[in-house]
Amino acid sequence: MATETHCPYCSLQCGMRLTGRRVPEVSAWEEFPVNAGALCRKGWAAAGLYGGRERLTSPLVRDRATGEWAAVSWDDALDRVAAGIRAAQAEKGPDGVAVFGGGGLTNEKAYALGKLARVALGTSQIDYNGRWCMSSAASAGIRAFGLDRGLPFPLADVEETDVLVLVGSNLAETMPPAARHLDRLRARGGRVVVIDPRRTPTADRADLVLQPVPGTDLALALGLLHLLVAAGAVDEDYLAARTTGWAQVKESVAPWWPERVERVTGIEAAQVRELAAVLAGSPRVMVLTARGAEQHSTGSDTVLAWINVALALGMVGTRGAGYGCLTGQGNGQGGREHGQKADQLPGYRRIDDPAARAHVAGVWGVDPDSLPGPGRSAYELLDACGTDDGPSAMLVLGSNIVVSAPNATQVTARLEALDLLVVCDVVMSETAAIADVVLPVTQWAEETGTMTNLEGRVVLRQEAITPPSGVRSDLEVIAAIAERLGSTATFATDPEEVFAELGRASAGGPADYSTITYDRIREEGGVFWGGERLFASSFNHPDGRARMLTVEHRGAAEVPDDDYPVHLTTGRVLAQYQSGAQTRRVRDLPDDGPFVELHPLLAGRLGLATGEAVQVSTRRGTMTASARVVTTIRPDTVFVPFHWVGANRLTNDALDPASRMPEFKVCAARLAAVGRG
């Protein structure tokens, strides 16, 4: 009998069926609406996650003196973890222990991890890798709309718009089943606009492609709004009835004439005017941003600028129009809702809100005053590890920090400075390899739990195969640690029981799951929290109005100069996912290793040809990879995928002041042909 479940990868959470109890076989689940049976190559090859020799099935401890690993019992491993936690707390207090989660954890795990930190550990030092994915869009959505849900409408609504503007998204490679919506949109006469420094496979499905200098998407949005005002194309009635702040925003874009936009972005003024005319003449316009626009030190302001464009046109809340964020990680939405963020309690409540603290503490059976306050954001937390005023012990679930963190060499050194690093993982990832204790846990089809996809649709991954002997679930690990630390709070290990508790804790919050059950998810094919479509009649601020906020273009934190003369940007490729800890171990997925994509003009100056080794250096590190000479990238820009060790040794750790997002998407770099100086 087939088990209906969902893909282990991106935020689409495509439906699939699995058969077989030892090694699963993937087949289509045509009735699930998000993908209607379609899968990308990663989804079809998902069974390759099983049966490999690298699977961990016993707890491991590392001898720091020799670097050698030894298998130990679960009791021994957990006792060591508890002893290390107590030692850190004795030396530095509750904040001597840190917790780092992930956007791929189920809602149940994310909730339990936040509860572990606040109740059993008493620490404020918890954050997660989703801070590096959707935090800028989340920050902007909360400020503009009073609520963050990546897409406030079903993904299929894309087909109903007249103009779709994709800002910093390569969804044809990062979420291929979604690309069919672009084709259907164009088939019915709609237009697709792609804004990206690279001409990606997504751009091949577009009617208009703009290739800005990395880090200048905000300036483009300001220039477009300037032209929309000049053309009389803004919806004054909508703005008067449904927004505040328009007068100030209108005044702020007055200096952004097209020629100034061209000087900043590198996009010809004529193209800026062309796009503005397309937007002005279309009944329905939809703007979707993704990591290319958001992973900047100005990411949240960039998103606000594009939200201003959508609001000025009167589009937000109209079916087939508006603004949305294309969430990246599998549970990127749910992972940022239920308590593993530094400033958050379940239900997307703020941890510094007395009413929120009282409600959640009541569910947990603890005194509200016992809950810690906000902690450090992800990068700041990692950068504090092993320092005098930072944590000396850390528990990591669902994150391969050594590969995925910005300025990764610095972050790795900080992790190595910890007295205790505990990693729960399926394989010996690069982060697990420097840990003191590694705990082997179940993965994907071996466990049940909910995910919340990019639409805010809560779906149910169901256990389909028997996990190998010797592994435990993350929920069991969390409960065992809490028990050893003497926590009086209950930590359930049954995912459905945990989800029911999550529902009670989230009740009345912005992300309220209290009416969602496993049975309802099965019956309805997923449940949208908050409703299928948001903002039709009001926004989530007390007065029901959206906030239009004035933002200014500041540019990248680091710009090219004589020493580092080109822009470096990073991203994903079709066959790999995130840090590659899963996909690089699937034999049916091609793994060609890292590469450096550069334009023929730049390659010519360096004397480089495709396949030759090139060294890329920034102020933070150096990597060497093979060159790929292409005409689809700007001549002043190079691209490196981040699925392997290397790319994030180069990236900049400059942070967005609102979201604390690092600037993954642009920094200054220099290139040299290997062996030629």
Side-chain angles (χ1 to χ4, degrees):
M1 182 177 176
T3 300
E4 292 175 345
T5 189
H6 298 272
C7 180
Y9 299 118
C10 84
S11 65
L12 286 180
Q13 282 303 285
C14 291
M16 58 170 58
R17 289 189 172 99
L18 299 179
T19 53
R21 287 299 296 175
R22 194 175 72 84
V23 176
E25 182 177 329
V26 176
S27 61
W29 180 10
E30 293 88 348
E31 296 81 9
F32 186 69
V34 174
N35 60 310
L39 295 169
C40 72
R41 64 166 67 177
K42 293 189 291 292
W44 287 119
L49 293 169
Y50 295 92
R53 296 179 180 178
E54 295 185 66
R55 182 66 188 271
L56 300 177
T57 57
S58 174
L60 301 171
V61 297
R62 182 170 63 92
D63 185 321
R64 286 200 172 193
T66 65
E68 294 183 355
W69 291 93
V72 298
S73 70
W74 270 99
D75 282 341
D76 187 11
L78 291 167
D79 287 345
R80 289 176 186 235
V81 171
I85 289 172
R86 289 194 191 96
Q89 291 172 329
E91 179 187 5
K92 294 189 170 184
D95 283 353
V97 182
V99 177
F100 200 88
L105 298 177
T106 64
N107 290 315
E108 294 81 357
K109 295 178 185 180
Y111 169 80
L113 195 61
K115 181 180 177 182
L116 174 75
R118 274 60 180 251
V119 176
L121 298 174
T123 182
S124 68
Q125 301 300 293
I126 176 173
D127 212 65
Y128 80 127
N129 64 20
R131 176 78 65 175
W132 302 333
C133 295
M134 287 69 63
S135 63
S136 289
S139 170
I142 291 171
R143 292 162 70 190
F145 305 133
L147 185 73
D148 160 44
R149 199 180 84 182
L151 292 184
F153 42 74
L155 181 62
D157 281 10
V158 166
E159 299 176 19
E160 301 178 18
T161 196
D162 296 301
V163 178
L164 174 66
V165 182
L166 293 171
V167 190
S169 169
N170 181 18
L171 61 75
E173 286 195 282
T174 59
M175 46 181 67
R180 72 189 192 281
H181 297 302
L182 309 189
D183 299 335
R184 292 172 183 171
L185 164 63
R186 297 179 75 198
R188 51 164 288 273
R191 304 184 70 179
V192 175
V193 179
V194 169
I195 299 168
D196 195 312
R198 304 166 63 224
R199 187 178 180 96
T200 64
T202 306
D204 294 337
R205 287 175 151 95
D207 302 279
L208 179 61
V209 179
L210 281 65
Q211 294 183 251
V213 171
T216 63
D217 297 310
L218 195 162
L220 175 59
L222 298 176
L224 289 171
L225 190 49
H226 168 102
L227 288 170
L228 293 172
V229 171
V234 300
D235 189 334
E236 296 287 357
D237 291 340
Y238 176 97
L239 293 170
R242 300 205 58 191
T243 72
T244 64
W246 168 237
Q248 294 81 5
V249 169
K250 179 180 178 181
E251 181 180 359
S252 72
V253 300
W256 283 94
W257 56 91
E259 287 73 21
R260 182 183 180 191
V261 175
E262 179 177 342
R263 289 199 300 272
V264 172
T265 67
I267 299 170
E268 294 181 1
Q271 277 195 306
V272 180
R273 290 189 173 94
E274 180 184 1
L275 176 53
V278 169
L279 300 181
S282 301
R284 290 174 298 182
V285 174
M286 182 182 291
V287 177
L288 301 180
T289 63
R291 306 303 81 69
E294 299 160 11
Q295 286 181 320
H296 294 270
S297 60
T298 58
S300 55
D301 282 355
T302 298
V303 174
L304 285 170
W306 285 99
I307 288 175
N308 284 342
V309 171
L311 288 169
L313 290 167
M315 297 296 164
V316 183
T318 299
R319 180 161 175 159
Y323 166 79
C325 159
L326 292 169
T327 299
Q329 294 193 75
N331 200 29
Q333 182 67 50
R336 65 184 189 258
E337 295 171 352
H338 297 301
Q340 61 174 333
K341 284 179 66 178
D343 57 356
Q344 186 193 78
L345 288 172
Y348 225 134
R349 289 180 163 93
R350 290 192 57 85
I351 200 168
D352 55 5
D353 176 2
R357 294 169 65 87
H359 173 82
V360 174
V363 174
W364 289 345
V366 300
D367 184 344
D369 292 338
S370 71
L371 299 178
R376 296 177 172 96
S377 73
Y379 182 79
E380 292 164 305
L381 173 57
L382 295 172
D383 197 40
C385 285
T387 63
D388 290 343
D389 62 348
S392 57
M394 175 174 274
L395 173 65
V396 178
L397 276 75
S399 189
N400 189 9
I401 300 167
V402 168
V403 179
S404 61
N407 195 4
T409 300
Q410 162 70 7
V411 168
T412 302
R414 297 269 43 88
L415 293 177
E416 291 174 333
L418 290 165
D419 294 333
L420 174 70
L421 176 60
V422 182
V423 173
C424 298
D425 214 328
V426 176
V427 295
M428 186 63 78
S429 68
E430 288 82 356
T431 307
I434 63 169
D436 298 288
V437 181
V438 177
L439 303 176
V441 291
T442 53
Q443 64 168 329
W444 180 45
E446 299 164 355
E447 58 188 14
T448 293
T450 60
M451 309 286 278
T452 306
N453 83 342
L454 78 171
E455 310 162 301
R457 188 192 307 253
V458 184
V459 301
L460 182 62
R461 285 185 181 174
Q462 301 194 91
E463 180 183 339
I465 66 172
T466 303
S469 176
V471 307
R472 296 188 182 182
S473 72
D474 288 305
L475 293 177
E476 290 173 328
V477 171
I478 290 169
I481 292 173
E483 180 183 10
R484 275 168 169 75
L485 295 176
S487 175
T488 58
T490 300
F491 284 82
T493 58
D494 176 75
E496 190 167 9
E497 186 178 344
V498 176
F499 188 75
E501 183 183 313
L502 180 160
R504 296 192 296 274
S506 69
D512 185 340
Y513 282 36
S514 61
T515 63
I516 304 174
T517 65
Y518 277 24
D519 286 342
R520 188 179 167 201
I521 295 170
R522 292 187 183 102
E523 291 166 3
E524 299 180 25
V527 179
F528 292 91
W529 70 258
E532 189 174 28
R533 293 179 179 84
L534 307 179
F535 311 140
S537 58
S538 67
F539 296 98
N540 278 59
H541 290 296
D543 60 3
R545 292 171 175 260
R547 305 289 188 260
M548 299 188 76
L549 301 170
T550 299
V551 292
E552 296 293 339
H553 170 71
R554 301 192 303 275
E558 183 177 271
V559 296
D561 57 20
D562 290 343
D563 293 326
Y564 298 92
V566 299
H567 302 280
L568 168 69
T569 191
T570 64
R572 285 171 53 187
V573 297
L574 178 63
Q576 298 297 323
Y577 181 71
Q578 300 301 86
S579 74
Q582 295 168 292
T583 49
R584 285 187 277 119
R585 291 172 166 86
V586 176
R587 285 178 292 179
D588 290 340
L589 294 176
D591 180 1
D592 299 325
F595 58 88
V596 181
E597 189 176 277
L598 69 163
H599 192 275
L601 291 176
L602 180 56
R605 292 201 298 270
L606 296 168
L608 276 169
T610 292
E612 294 183 336
V614 57
Q615 184 183 81
V616 185
S617 301
T618 71
R619 290 179 173 86
R620 288 152 297 281
T622 298
M623 69 170 288
T624 300
S626 62
R628 289 190 185 179
V629 181
V630 298
T631 60
T632 50
I633 193 168
R634 291 180 55 89
D636 58 1
T637 301
V638 297
F639 168 83
V640 178
F642 57 63
H643 309 292
W644 298 268
V645 172
N648 279 318
R649 291 177 177 171
L650 310 176
T651 49
N652 196 350
D653 54 12
L655 301 180
D656 182 297
S659 66
R660 316 311 288 170
M661 167 76 81
E663 191 147 71
F664 287 99
K665 281 294 183 281
V666 60
C667 65
R670 66 168 176 255
L671 275 66
V674 173
R676 303 181 201 175

